[in-house]
Amino acid sequence: MTLAAVARTAGVSVSTASLAFSGLGPVSDATRDKVLAAADTLGYSGPDPRARSLRQGRSGVVGMLVENSVIRAFRDPVNVGMVDGVAEVLGDAGAGVLLLTDAPHARSAFDNAAMDGMVLSGCSPLVAELLESLRRRHIPTVLLGSRARPGVPAVDVDNLTATEQLARRLAELGHRQAATVTLPLDAAGTQFVSPALLAGAGGDTAADRLRGFWSVFPTGVALAATDSTVEEGERIGRLLLDRVDRPTAVVAQSDLLAAGVVRAAEGLGLAVPTDLSVVGFDGIELQTFTSHALTTMRQPMQDKGRTAARTVLRLIEGGRPRSVTLDCEFVPGTTIAPPPP
Amino acid sequence: MTLAAVARTAGVSVSTASLAFSGLGPVSDATRDKVLAAADTLGYSGPDPRARSLRQGRSGVVGMLVENSVIRAFRDPVNVGMVDGVAEVLGDAGAGVLLLTDAPHARSAFDNAAMDGMVLSGCSPLVAELLESLRRRHIPTVLLGSRARPGVPAVDVDNLTATEQLARRLAELGHRQAATVTLPLDAAGTQFVSPALLAGAGGDTAADRLRGFWSVFPTGVALAATDSTVEEGERIGRLLLDRVDRPTAVVAQSDLLAAGVVRAAEGLGLAVPTDLSVVGFDGIELQTFTSHALTTMRQPMQDKGRTAARTVLRLIEGGRPRSVTLDCEFVPGTTIAPPPP
DNA sequence: CTGTTAGCGCGTTCAC
DNA sequence: GTGAACGCGCTAACAG
């Protein structure tokens, strides 16, 4: 069934039939009805999206890349929130979201899919390579959660300042011995993070948050997690709390990590916040504790997604949108207190 | 940049250049190198997916619909697991996943996207309408989590039997007064579920699980939640536990609901499982409790997704795959015990 | 308001 | 092993 066949049956030209479907051009009601009736008779269900997208040079699809597998990415509500925001804005624009991961087996889909634009979230080590591929294909791209590059705007929060604010609260409470649990900093999964390693790292989320921490606690120990999960937080938390120079406060770079640190502390018989202060980052709804409300910095996950989607839409239309930095909001919580005497 | 331009630069015909890229036909190494070199020079990055998909009649994209918004759907790990399974199998097949929701504003994307197939998950009241639209467009479809229809295979677990098994365990422990918290049963959001209402309901997940429950506890009270969340579980749980005929056991139709029921019980000063037995459904990793391990029925979420994806791929290839029913596995947990004397 | 004309960029017959 | 020609189904100009 083609538009041509419908037009023939309706006794009109294809272009008229096309206009009848798109509703864009001036078509008399009578003609439109004739066309629609013919379509109905023939079981024609509207223009073929493939042909339409070839003709228009648009597919109505925007890719969204998340790190790792779908299941790992969506274990973190931050990613879910961002995808939700992207889907919302794109849906309103009549576009669809092609969900992609940076897993090797998804590479072929990434390379061959018809996309009008791309939202690259995360700071996967593959980002540079993927960006290069997108550049060659002239696919407008927005980075979500990493720093802008020439010609590629980014949407993010000010991770450095936000973390600095959290650290400063701890300092103001009297903490001198603070440590931090960072998100993965390099592909190698190095655990003990030195300033030298940080210097070599890019402008990623983990690096910026670490800089914010170190700007307040320049000698604070930093251990990197391999993933943003409660389990990893607990593992690294135990490592930190077992040290002879046990910290009195821990800045975790995500709420999930922070929840793990709290759990590690309680496992060792330490009370939070009396014996140990813990802060997180993200402001997700943690169902892990009922007894604590995590002190953290809430980032606008959905807004990040929405803004990224709007930005990529503008890019697709040929605009030159600028990078956007969104604000975080301090969530007081109940997991910080002055250090034990 | 078109393939034709590359061919011209390389001094070969377009068809030869096409073969050089796809690697399908017989092309001498020398020729292929010439073509690739020309492409590199001109900054050509491979065939245009839009044109390719028109020509081949395939877009390499399979739609996956989840209920509600992305954020609501992915609050439930079951949906995340299913999408992960779908993405994994489709990725291996070189196909991409177009993430769609049944939200009204996403309807245009649903209708206009170029898709080779569709995985419709959930039992949204819109399913019938969406199925009809897909049928007219000749888009092969697989249902995930609802009953097969003529020409539309389904992938699911045996919800009735699985719930029956859970209920039977409770009965065997001596429970006579059991209640159930169901997933949403109708669009109206009716709270008190009568057998008459169930008779009118379709063959959905909620209905099947309820049938399994009633087959063991024919007079058990059934209240429907409006969503599968801990909060809803807690709300309905409180309603159940406040009744004069307070149940000694609750069968919740999802783990999230079950977690809410446990929380409601504890809020009322009831100990689980001493005062109240609770079972869930799904087998997700609940971080809500540390003191309990939920007694539940684990369903293979990722396998459901993988199987659905394999089924839709077979459908796309013109096969006639059958519906698949996967097995659940009982998870003993620590939230059931004999009823209090 | 309607019809005619021309591709969009590619893959795939066929001949050679 | 390679090339020429055709059409996938549609829409955007333009002409009437």
Side-chain angles (χ1 to χ4, degrees), chain B residues 146-331:
Chain B
S146 62
R147 290 240 183 96
R149 323 258 171 134
V152 187
V155 172
D156 205 351
V157 294
D158 185 343
N159 289 293
L160 195 154
T161 306
T163 308
E164 204 173 48
Q165 285 172 19
L166 285 169
R168 206 179 303 287
R169 300 247 173 195
L170 293 170
E172 283 166 6
L173 285 172
H175 290 275
R176 296 294 169 262
Q177 196 88 336
T180 187
V181 184
T182 80
L183 295 166
L185 259 164
D186 59 11
T190 314
Q191 187 163 284
F192 182 85
V193 186
S194 64
L197 180 79
L198 177 59
D204 296 332
T205 305
D208 280 346
R209 292 186 189 168
L210 180 50
R211 289 192 184 98
F213 170 76
W214 271 342
S215 80
V216 177
F217 297 106
T219 60
V221 172
L223 296 188
T226 58
D227 204 352
S228 178
T229 64
V230 177
E231 293 71 31
E232 265 294 286
E234 186 167 5
R235 186 177 71 82
I236 304 282
R238 210 145 31 206
L239 253 41
L240 284 174
L241 299 177
D242 277 345
R243 293 173 64 99
V244 289
D245 58 342
R246 171 192 293 165
T248 60
V250 173
V251 175
Q253 287 195 352
S254 79
D255 287 352
L256 293 175
L257 289 171
V261 172
V262 170
R263 195 184 277 183
E266 293 181 337
L268 293 171
L270 298 173
V272 173
T274 327
D275 299 321
L276 181 75
S277 289
V278 178
V279 301
F281 202 111
D282 289 341
I284 64 176
E285 316 241 319
L286 272 175
Q287 295 173 337
T288 314
F289 344 103
T290 41
S291 38
H292 302 296
L294 184 64
T295 301
T296 189
M297 201 54 100
R298 178 177 299 131
Q299 64 165 317
M301 313 167 298
Q302 284 167 278
D303 250 349
K304 276 170 79 175
R306 287 191 205 106
T307 306
R310 271 187 230 111
T311 304
V312 80
L313 287 175
R314 219 156 288 158
L315 232 30
I316 291 170
E317 286 160 5
R320 288 207 154 287
R322 299 186 38 173
S323 291
V324 178
T325 302
L326 298 171
D327 287 326
C328 291
E329 182 196 356
F330 178 68
V331 181

Side-chain angles (χ1 to χ4, degrees), chain B residues 96-158:
Chain B
V97 185
L98 190 70
L99 186 63
L100 297 165
T101 70
D102 64 356
H105 69 110
R107 187 57 197 269
S108 138
F110 183 93
D111 286 331
N112 297 321
M115 306 181 285
D116 299 338
M118 181 80 198
V119 176
L120 269 189
S121 86
C123 354
S124 157
L126 292 173
V127 157
E129 183 189 336
L130 299 178
L131 269 180
E132 171 57 16
S133 161
L134 293 165
R135 195 190 57 70
R136 291 180 50 117
R137 292 174 63 191
H138 306 288
I139 295 182
T141 303
V142 172
L143 292 164
L144 186 50
S146 62
R147 290 240 183 96
R149 323 258 171 134
V152 187
V155 172
D156 205 351
V157 294
D158 185 343

